[in-house]
Amino acid sequence: MPVKMLVFLYRNLRLTPEEFMKYYEAHVKLVKKLAGTDFPLSHHRNYIARNTVDIPPDGFTARNAFIPATILRGRQPEFDFDAYAELTFADQVSYQAFAAKIYAPDAAAQITADEDEFWIG
């Protein structure tokens, strides 16, 4: 049975949403290189659309006061994250093989150092 994992990402506030997207796309390439054939079957990334405003909207969050999410329904605090990713693995064994590779000490150190540049984990 396929295994799906959702990851919610919060950008480092020194980055614009565009810079965050660029970093994350490069990060996925790093993880893909380190995981090799054990990379997930799919790794879909979805970024929250944001617009710059001069006056924070009602219900704003301090984190994104001047770049609120573009939302159809809901409230700003529900969209404080900047992206979410859905990873799909063939099965639990495939996930465990991926995890073994990315949590190996050398790979984990590279991944953590890279993540420290662009997101708040």
Side-chain angles (χ1 to χ4, degrees), residues 48-66:
I48 301 300
R50 297 191 178 281
N51 292 304
T52 303
V53 298
D54 294 328
I55 300 171
D58 290 340
F60 73 93
T61 62
R63 188 173 184 286
N64 288 306
F66 296 97

Side-chain angles (χ1 to χ4, degrees), residues 28-40:
V28 171
K29 290 177 184 174
L30 170 66
V31 174
K32 189 176 238 182
K33 180 182 117 190
L34 295 170
T37 58
D38 293 312
F39 192 75

Side-chain angles (χ1 to χ4, degrees), residues 39-98:
F39 192 75
L41 294 173
S42 66
H43 185 284
H44 295 287
R45 290 155 318 270
N46 300 282
Y47 296 92
I48 301 300
R50 297 191 178 281
N51 292 304
T52 303
V53 298
D54 294 328
I55 300 171
D58 290 340
F60 73 93
T61 62
R63 188 173 184 286
N64 288 306
F66 296 97
I67 51 171
T70 302
I71 58 176
L72 180 61
R73 292 186 53 94
R75 299 175 320 113
Q76 283 299 324
E78 296 166 346
F79 296 92
D80 219 21
F81 59 94
D82 294 283
Y84 65 95
E86 179 181 305
L87 288 70
T88 304
F89 300 89
D91 50 31
Q92 188 67 29
V93 171
S94 298
Y95 165 73
Q96 290 170 338
F98 170 75

